[in-house]
Amino acid sequence: QVQLVESGGGVVQPGRSLRLSCAASGFTFSSHGMHWVRQAPGKGLEWVAVISNDGSRKYYGDSAKGRFTISRDNSKNMVYLQMNSLRAEDTAVYHCAKETIAAAGTFDFWGQGTLVTVSS
Amino acid sequence: EIVLTQSPGTLSLSPGERATLSCRASQSVSSRNLAWYQQKPGQAPWLLIYGASSRATGIPDRFSGSGSGTDFTLTISRLEPEDFAVYYCQQYGSAPLTFGGGTKVEIK
């Protein structure tokens, strides 16, 4: 069965960096675009970034541009999110999500997420 | 950026009743590229509908989506106990991908 397991979250000071990882299994990883979507505590969903199935194309939401970098390793079935210059408003649960083949830009499976808390 | 506004914020209904959730876009959503997700407390969201009206794999037929342009609707024909949750719409017709603020369907 499909599994997405995020890791790497924690408490970090403003201005510092953090790298999130997502381990995928149960599907042909190299066939799917992968996304990061975040959810601040008690709030709604915000799309962060996407990487194409082969890693050649990457796009970011406005809050991530210039600070976050998405990457993937198809040999390890992993997707990553490098987050630099973190701010308090980046505090959220970060989910990785598998792109739907039938509808690119939608997410047909999500991981449970990893919590990032930016605080001094 | 396309802003999605969902209404109502909270819907209080009883099991067996019909639920009608609205999602309005600030500009036209191209090619009906509108999706709906369900999220239960402590869980990740789950895809229900894509392409405004196509049910995702395994989604029961009591869930239906409709609409085009700027106005979209998710209908749950008869609420089951497991349907009480928060529902989000999402547009994927233009970058950046955006979500609505959510509608909570709670037990009356």
Side-chain angles (χ1 to χ4, degrees):
Chain A
Q1 71 280 22
V2 175
Q3 282 197 312
L4 295 172
V5 180
E6 302 92 339
S7 60
V11 180
V12 62
Q13 292 179 328
R16 304 297 290 265
S17 299
L18 208 59
R19 188 199 197 202
L20 306 183
S21 300
C22 172
S25 60
F27 64 101
T28 306
F29 182 71
S30 59
S31 295
H32 291 264
M34 295 295 295
H35 297 251
W36 287 95
V37 180
R38 70 185 185 182
Q39 187 167 29
K43 302 297 184 182
L45 301 164
E46 180 185 10
W47 174 73
V48 175
V50 60
I51 185 167
S52 61
N53 65 309
D54 62 0
S56 63
R57 288 166 284 133
K58 305 172 186 181
Y59 302 100
Y60 299 92
D62 290 342
S63 61
K65 284 178 184 173
R67 298 189 301 130
F68 294 1
T69 302
I70 190 171
S71 61
R72 67 189 294 160
D73 185 339
N74 284 351
S75 68
K76 296 181 179 178
N77 286 6
M78 297 288 294
V79 62
Y80 306 98
L81 186 68
Q82 176 68 41
M83 303 186 296
N84 299 332
S85 303
L86 283 162
R87 307 164 180 164
E89 53 264 38
D90 295 319
T91 294
V93 173
Y94 285 73
H95 298 273
C96 70
K98 168 180 164 285
E99 187 164 82
T100 312
I101 289 285
T106 67
F107 325 108
D108 61 4
F109 195 86
W110 302 54
Q112 285 297 110
T114 186
L115 176 62
V116 173
T117 303
V118 183
S119 174
S120 54
Chain B
E1 170 174 324
I2 295 180
V3 176
L4 300 177
T5 302
Q6 291 188 240
S7 61
T10 302
L11 200 50
S12 298
L13 295 168
S14 301
E17 290 193 294
R18 181 184 188 91
T20 302
L21 288 66
S22 173
C23 177
R24 179 161 291 178
S26 61
Q27 54 189 283
S28 184
V29 176
S30 63
S31 303
R32 288 162 46 96
N33 288 332
L34 195 286
W36 291 92
Y37 299 84
Q38 176 193 72
Q39 186 177 31
K40 297 179 181 178
Q43 296 185 19
W46 195 261
L47 178 65
L48 299 173
I49 301 285
Y50 63 90
S53 60
S54 297
R55 274 186 298 277
T57 303
I59 301 303
D61 60 8
R62 64 180 182 273
F63 291 93
S64 63
S66 62
S68 63
T70 60
D71 289 294
F72 297 86
T73 301
L74 174 70
T75 301
I76 310 171
S77 58
R78 287 178 55 86
L79 283 164
E80 297 287 340
E82 62 268 27
D83 298 337
F84 292 91
V86 179
Y87 292 83
Y88 294 96
C89 58
Q90 178 230 339
Q91 68 79 24
Y92 55 101
S94 63
L97 309 181
T98 52
F99 291 88
T103 290
K104 181 179 181 180
V105 179
E106 65 176 21
I107 300 176
K108 186 175 182 179

Short mmCIF file of all heavy atoms in Angstrom, two decimals, chain A residues 28 37 53 59 64 66 69 86 97-98 104:
data_model
loop_
_atom_site.label_atom_id
_atom_site.label_comp_id
_atom_site.label_asym_id
_atom_site.label_seq_id
_atom_site.Cartn_x
_atom_site.Cartn_y
_atom_site.Cartn_z
N THR A 28 5.01 3.48 -7.89
CA THR A 28 6.15 3.76 -8.76
C THR A 28 6.54 5.22 -8.60
O THR A 28 6.00 6.11 -9.27
CB THR A 28 5.82 3.43 -10.23
OG1 THR A 28 5.35 2.09 -10.32
CG2 THR A 28 7.07 3.60 -11.10
N VAL A 37 2.91 20.41 1.11
CA VAL A 37 1.79 21.25 1.49
C VAL A 37 1.86 21.42 3.00
O VAL A 37 2.11 20.46 3.72
CB VAL A 37 0.43 20.62 1.10
CG1 VAL A 37 -0.72 21.52 1.52
CG2 VAL A 37 0.37 20.33 -0.40
N ASN A 53 8.26 14.48 -11.88
CA ASN A 53 8.64 13.08 -11.61
C ASN A 53 10.13 12.81 -11.83
O ASN A 53 10.73 12.00 -11.12
CB ASN A 53 7.81 12.13 -12.47
CG ASN A 53 8.09 12.29 -13.96
OD1 ASN A 53 8.06 13.39 -14.49
ND2 ASN A 53 8.34 11.19 -14.64
N TYR A 59 8.52 24.15 -8.88
CA TYR A 59 7.75 25.38 -8.73
C TYR A 59 7.45 25.58 -7.26
O TYR A 59 7.31 24.62 -6.49
CB TYR A 59 6.45 25.32 -9.54
CG TYR A 59 6.67 25.08 -11.01
CD1 TYR A 59 6.52 23.81 -11.55
CD2 TYR A 59 7.06 26.10 -11.86
CE1 TYR A 59 6.73 23.56 -12.89
CE2 TYR A 59 7.29 25.88 -13.21
CZ TYR A 59 7.12 24.60 -13.71
OH TYR A 59 7.35 24.37 -15.04
N ALA A 64 7.49 30.40 -0.24
CA ALA A 64 8.67 29.54 -0.28
C ALA A 64 9.75 30.04 -1.25
O ALA A 64 10.92 29.65 -1.13
CB ALA A 64 8.28 28.12 -0.68
N GLY A 66 12.72 31.57 -3.03
CA GLY A 66 13.95 32.18 -2.58
C GLY A 66 14.47 31.66 -1.25
O GLY A 66 15.60 31.96 -0.87
N THR A 69 13.94 24.94 -1.01
CA THR A 69 14.33 24.20 -2.20
C THR A 69 13.81 22.77 -2.10
O THR A 69 14.08 22.08 -1.12
CB THR A 69 15.86 24.16 -2.36
OG1 THR A 69 16.37 25.51 -2.43
CG2 THR A 69 16.25 23.42 -3.63
N LEU A 86 14.28 30.60 8.16
CA LEU A 86 12.95 30.30 8.67
C LEU A 86 12.39 31.44 9.50
O LEU A 86 13.11 32.16 10.20
CB LEU A 86 12.98 28.99 9.48
CG LEU A 86 13.03 27.74 8.60
CD1 LEU A 86 13.49 26.54 9.38
CD2 LEU A 86 11.67 27.48 7.96
N ALA A 97 3.00 15.04 -0.46
CA ALA A 97 1.81 14.53 -1.12
C ALA A 97 2.15 14.05 -2.51
O ALA A 97 2.94 14.67 -3.23
CB ALA A 97 0.74 15.61 -1.16
N LYS A 98 1.52 12.97 -2.89
CA LYS A 98 1.73 12.34 -4.19
C LYS A 98 0.74 12.93 -5.20
O LYS A 98 -0.46 13.05 -4.93
CB LYS A 98 1.50 10.84 -4.02
CG LYS A 98 1.38 10.00 -5.27
CD LYS A 98 1.17 8.55 -4.86
CE LYS A 98 0.67 7.68 -5.98
NZ LYS A 98 -0.76 7.91 -6.28
N ALA A 104 -3.05 16.25 -12.76
CA ALA A 104 -1.82 16.87 -12.25
C ALA A 104 -2.18 18.14 -11.50
O ALA A 104 -2.95 18.97 -11.99
CB ALA A 104 -0.88 17.18 -13.41
#
